[in-house]
Amino acid sequence: MEPEDDVALDIIITNVVCVFRTRCHLNLRKIALEGSNVIYKRDFGKVLMKLRKPKITASIWSSGKIICAGATSEEEAKLGARRLARSLQKLGFKVKFTEFKVVNVLAVCTMPFQIRLPEFTKSNRPLASYEPELHPAALYRIKDIKATLQVFSTGSITVTGKTICFSNISSCYFF
């Protein structure tokens, strides 16, 4: 590409998954009966609770472990987790918000060109693998930042991992 043809890539974080603990036993039946926006999954031993703002879905176990998914930033994930802990406190549980940790981040971007996956895989052999019979994307693993890229022939790239750093963006996301 010529320098005047440079196109800025839009990298969009679509999902942040976090986990935290309440340091108390949670009565799932009570949460299901008295809580709002909940679904009791007795077969799995958990309760699903949805928040509208920020828009997250939480899996709540009786041990006090809670996993939240659906946020689009670390700040939004923490805010949603704290709102969830507060709603459990209002139900009468002695919840303490502890051990908050972001465990996964999903980001997507689209390149302004198509990618020839066999050639891409050959030139990046130890890090990239492509099995068209199993999956339509080439997998590119970056071990030092623990990220996996799914590179599609259309130019679409999906990045998953705990640490995501983009070289053409002034800031890095370290969770």
Side-chain angles (χ1 to χ4, degrees), residues 12-44:
I12 303 162
I13 296 178
T14 58
N15 190 13
V16 176
V17 180
C18 66
V19 63
F20 73 96
R21 296 197 179 271
T22 61
R23 292 181 61 187
C24 70
H25 178 77
L26 300 172
N27 184 344
L28 298 182
R29 191 172 193 284
K30 180 177 180 177
I31 295 170
L33 291 173
E34 297 176 15
S36 60
N37 296 325
V38 295
I39 301 169
Y40 188 23
K41 301 274 189 175
R42 190 170 19 177
D43 300 341
F44 299 106

Side-chain angles (χ1 to χ4, degrees), residues 110-126:
T110 303
M111 304 301 279
F113 51 84
Q114 292 190 345
I115 300 169
R116 294 186 189 98
L117 294 180
E119 290 85 1
F120 171 78
T121 307
K122 263 185 202 170
S123 62
N124 298 292
R125 183 56 72 185

Side-chain angles (χ1 to χ4, degrees), residues 7-96:
V7 177
L9 290 177
D10 289 330
I11 301 169
I12 303 162
I13 296 178
T14 58
N15 190 13
V16 176
V17 180
C18 66
V19 63
F20 73 96
R21 296 197 179 271
T22 61
R23 292 181 61 187
C24 70
H25 178 77
L26 300 172
N27 184 344
L28 298 182
R29 191 172 193 284
K30 180 177 180 177
I31 295 170
L33 291 173
E34 297 176 15
S36 60
N37 296 325
V38 295
I39 301 169
Y40 188 23
K41 301 274 189 175
R42 190 170 19 177
D43 300 341
F44 299 106
K46 68 179 179 180
V47 169
L48 295 177
M49 183 180 277
K50 296 188 177 199
L51 294 179
R52 290 190 185 128
K53 193 171 183 181
K55 191 173 180 179
I56 64 167
T57 301
S59 297
I60 304 170
W61 281 271
S62 62
S63 64
K65 182 178 180 180
I66 300 176
I67 297 176
C68 300
T72 56
S73 69
E74 181 184 13
E75 296 82 25
E76 193 174 284
K78 192 164 190 172
L79 175 68
R82 292 189 67 81
R83 283 196 62 215
L84 194 81
R86 180 68 66 202
S87 66
L88 291 173
Q89 283 178 341
K90 288 180 180 178
L91 291 175
F93 298 105
K94 296 182 188 232
V95 172
K96 292 184 180 172

